[in-house]
Amino acid sequence: MFISLVRTIILYLAIILAVRIMGKRQISQLQTSELVVTMLISDLAVIPMQDSGQPLFSGIIPIFVLIALEVMLSFIMLKCGKVRRAICGKPVVIIQDGRLLQENMRELRMSVEDLFEQLRQKDVFALNDIAYAIVETNGMLSVVKKPEVDYLRPVDAGVWPAPDELEVVVVSDGRLSEGSLQLFGKDDAWVRKILKKENTPLKEVFILTVNNTGNYTLVKKQNAAKKGVSS
């Protein structure tokens, strides 16, 4: 029983590492080759996990061989568009100026019901409102509405809003995040200066955030928020 538990934990960590190497994607965003590798990894991990008589490496080695092949294939697709199109396909236009391109839908074997379901998820309820609808290589639907029915943008009204501020967490539950500090050119000395100004020890900080304009937000573990501007 203990051996099975240890094998399961090792395989679990190996799969996490393998998926991490493949990159950060949701299931719906996986390309064909990535989906195949994901399915094979799950099958390969089950065999040594259930059968303690199987050597552990009989599952781990094939998993990382598949990951190596996927990384190599991704690099080849990055350099060669023909290989990428052969494996992943290409985007297909299925609606143009409110008109359904039935031949393209048949090519994708997409039913009208499937199409309208995806359109409703994009807040589109009328074909005439669509300038273009494109099925991407990962199966997701991209929709471009006609200008007259699209949402009004600030630029359409002659308004030029200020750029959005990016805010990152530099202290979480009393722990510093070095990566977030480096993102905005801050360091430990900056954090100590803020904490001294707010008279708050590091261990009592629940969240400390900073944005690209230098503004910060401090939330103590007692849920009392303070805001200010770093100097």
Side-chain angles (χ1 to χ4, degrees):
M1 182 67 180
F2 177 74
I3 294 177
S4 297
L5 176 62
V6 173
R7 289 164 67 94
T8 301
I9 293 174
I10 293 174
L11 284 166
Y12 173 70
L13 295 175
I15 293 173
I16 289 179
L17 176 60
V19 174
R20 182 70 181 86
I21 293 173
M22 285 178 61
K24 298 180 179 179
R25 286 180 186 260
Q26 299 179 6
I27 294 298
S28 60
Q29 297 175 328
L30 294 178
Q31 297 290 352
T32 305
S33 60
E34 295 170 331
L35 181 59
V36 170
V37 169
T38 302
M39 295 172 63
L40 288 174
I41 285 175
S42 62
D43 288 339
L44 288 169
V46 167
I47 298 173
M49 194 179 295
Q50 292 181 339
D51 186 1
S52 58
Q54 287 280 346
L56 188 60
F57 282 101
S58 67
I60 293 179
I61 292 177
I63 286 174
F64 282 96
V65 169
L66 285 172
I67 294 301
L69 290 174
E70 170 58 27
V71 171
M72 290 172 58
L73 184 59
S74 298
F75 181 78
I76 293 173
M77 289 193 296
L78 184 65
K79 298 296 183 180
C80 182
K82 291 182 178 180
V83 174
R84 177 177 176 82
R85 286 192 295 272
I87 294 176
C88 301
K90 60 181 180 180
V92 179
V93 178
I94 57 174
I95 299 179
Q96 185 172 3
D97 291 327
R99 181 172 60 90
L100 282 172
L101 304 182
Q102 299 179 33
E103 182 178 346
N104 291 351
M105 289 185 63
R106 284 193 293 269
E107 178 185 338
L108 295 173
R109 295 187 295 278
M110 172 180 278
S111 67
V112 174
E113 290 77 11
D114 293 336
L115 172 61
F116 273 80
E117 179 181 350
Q118 292 198 50
L119 288 176
R120 288 192 294 270
Q121 293 174 355
K122 299 289 185 179
D123 294 328
V124 178
F125 298 89
L127 286 176
N128 291 331
D129 292 348
I130 303 172
Y132 289 95
I134 303 170
V135 178
E136 306 293 353
T137 56
N138 60 4
M140 301 295 289
L141 185 69
S142 299
V143 177
V144 179
K145 295 182 182 179
K146 293 180 179 179
E148 60 269 23
V149 297
D150 203 357
Y151 295 111
L152 182 66
R153 301 172 301 171
V155 67
D156 297 327
V159 178
W160 300 92
D164 291 335
E165 295 179 353
L166 174 64
E167 185 177 48
V168 297
V169 177
V170 294
V171 177
S172 175
D173 200 12
R175 294 187 296 272
L176 281 169
S177 173
E178 297 292 342
S180 297
L181 284 169
Q182 293 174 3
L183 184 62
F184 290 144
K186 305 297 183 182
D187 54 17
D188 295 357
W190 178 86
V191 174
R192 289 194 296 269
K193 182 179 179 181
I194 295 300
L195 296 182
K196 182 178 180 181
K197 177 181 176 181
E198 300 291 347
N199 194 26
T200 304
L202 179 63
K203 64 181 180 180
E204 293 183 7
V205 177
F206 183 60
I207 293 177
L208 175 62
T209 66
V210 62
N211 60 30
N212 52 341
T213 63
N215 295 336
Y216 68 86
T217 300
L218 173 67
V219 180
K220 295 184 179 180
K221 289 186 179 180
Q222 293 80 10
N223 296 324
K226 292 186 177 182
K227 293 187 177 181
V229 179
S230 62
S231 56

